[in-house]
Amino acid sequence: MSLDPYQIRKDFPILSRTLPNGKPLVYLDNGASSQKPQSVIDATNEYYSNYNANIHRGVYYLSQHATELFERTRIKTSHFFQAQCAKAIIFTRGTTDAINLVAQTWGRTNITEGDEIVLSVQEHHSNLVPWQMLALEKKAFLKFIPINEDTTYDLSNLNEIITKRTKLVAISQMSNVTGTIHDLTRIINRVRQVGAKVLIDGAQAACHMPIHLVDMDVDFYAFSGHKMLGPTGVGVLFGKEDILEAMPPWLGGGDMIESVELESSTYAALPAKLEAGTPNIAGVIGFSHALDYLQKVGMKNIKEHERMLTEYALERLNRIGGLHIYGTEDLDKRGGVVSFTMEGIHPHDVGSILDEEGVAIRVGHHCCQPLMKQLSIPGTCRASFYLYNTKEDVDALVHSIEKVKSIFGRVARK
């Protein structure tokens, strides 16, 4: 059953707004953050209005009710992503926080001098800088999986890149720049051959397709709630239970302890051990409703809808002269992202003119400066789709790009 984006749009109040310049909003920056349905907005408001209290500590009704809803979200997240168990779900502030948690706990414990950490050349800075910092501290080495011309991973020399000295492979499942969806099977199989661990940056993939964590056989998987209809400030780290059990805490403080003496402490069981302090309670409860919404629509339906929009967008954009579109042409290996440059026009100028037309896209290096350097460009224009986008949104994008060409054509002729 296909989804109906026109019906879905009615659940997102921001999508019906008119911008200050009188233009209707065309939101195509879902790769950065998604919009929120009314049910998620209502859930966060209800928490603050009716049962605002800290969790895990109070014996009174408000605290108990908030705790129950918070922990229900953990169980729901585990089921949604086919995780090992609810204890394997650690709530964080986002993907960046989740990856840093692994680097600072598992990484500092297990990476030693001379070890190798394998990344790819197109990683988001969130899955690059933490490993740079750890490698510098531990005197370890970074190695990189290259990419093909179509931005898929080049696995021709995989056995030389992932070796017996490799301790961790940390890679993205879907590129935030090009939307390229990577087949991770060969990489994970090679990781198992050498006895290393694998972390998947799922920030872009988790919101757009079904994810079955046990079947994937990953050691760590990180993603953000705000990219999948949830509030900001909520992320998830999945880890295999035995690995998480062996990891020391990163942050010390309240709620992550079993007992505390003046000079020593013992730590709580999972997941509390890795969740120090008061979390984003309203955000996690709101994320529960985001999962409900996505479950109702169906992740397979979302993936197919985005494929249709991407195919339509590529067909229309390829008619415009002077555009260079990045990423694979194979729609089976591409998510709902179209990243492009316009000949002779800086991406920031493109984005500014599109904004005047009410079309919101992302321009720049997208926190992937090494990839931009490899592509020999300062940045791209990125349109990214989600379940509420329509062909009319794509038409508005195309019309605005044609206006950019018209404006710069007139400037060039003067």
Side-chain angles (χ1 to χ4, degrees), residues 226-301:
H226 72 93
K227 296 181 190 291
M228 49 192 309
L229 308 185
T232 57
V234 176
V236 171
L237 171 67
F238 161 81
K240 288 184 176 178
E241 187 178 357
D242 60 330
I243 300 175
L244 295 176
E245 290 281 10
M247 285 164 48
W250 177 25
L251 300 175
D255 220 30
M256 50 75 67
I257 52 86
E258 181 180 59
S259 65
V260 177
E261 304 293 339
L262 285 177
E263 296 183 356
S264 64
S265 299
T266 57
Y267 306 124
L270 290 175
K273 179 180 73 170
L274 299 174
E275 292 182 355
T278 299
N280 183 354
I281 303 168
V284 169
I285 292 171
F287 180 57
S288 174
H289 289 258
L291 292 177
D292 288 341
Y293 196 98
L294 294 173
Q295 186 76 43
K296 181 179 178 180
V297 175
M299 296 305 296
K300 288 183 179 179
N301 291 331

Side-chain angles (χ1 to χ4, degrees), residues 50-71:
N50 295 322
Y51 49 93
N52 176 43
N54 216 324
I55 59 173
H56 298 150
R57 303 164 195 173
V59 297
Y60 55 95
Y61 170 76
L62 295 183
S63 177
Q64 292 289 307
H65 185 56
T67 299
E68 181 182 1
L69 293 179
F70 186 93
E71 291 302 330

Side-chain angles (χ1 to χ4, degrees), residues 56-131:
H56 298 150
R57 303 164 195 173
V59 297
Y60 55 95
Y61 170 76
L62 295 183
S63 177
Q64 292 289 307
H65 185 56
T67 299
E68 181 182 1
L69 293 179
F70 186 93
E71 291 302 330
R72 273 191 207 166
T73 308
R74 194 187 309 277
I75 296 170
K76 186 179 295 183
T77 304
S78 174
H79 291 162
F80 189 91
F81 289 97
Q82 302 285 304
Q84 186 179 14
C85 62
K87 288 194 295 183
I89 299 297
I90 308 298
F91 286 122
T92 67
R93 294 178 299 166
T95 308
T96 301
D97 194 42
I99 294 172
N100 275 273
L101 191 158
V102 176
Q104 293 297 318
T105 55
W106 183 90
R108 294 180 80 183
T109 303
N110 292 279
I111 301 295
T112 59
E113 184 174 351
D115 287 341
E116 296 173 351
I117 301 169
V118 175
L119 312 169
S120 86
V121 299
Q122 65 174 349
E123 294 308 312
H124 189 282
H125 296 164
S126 295
N127 196 35
L128 179 60
V129 178
W131 307 116

Side-chain angles (χ1 to χ4, degrees), residues 5-6 96 165 235:
Y6 303 99
T96 301
R165 299 181 69 178

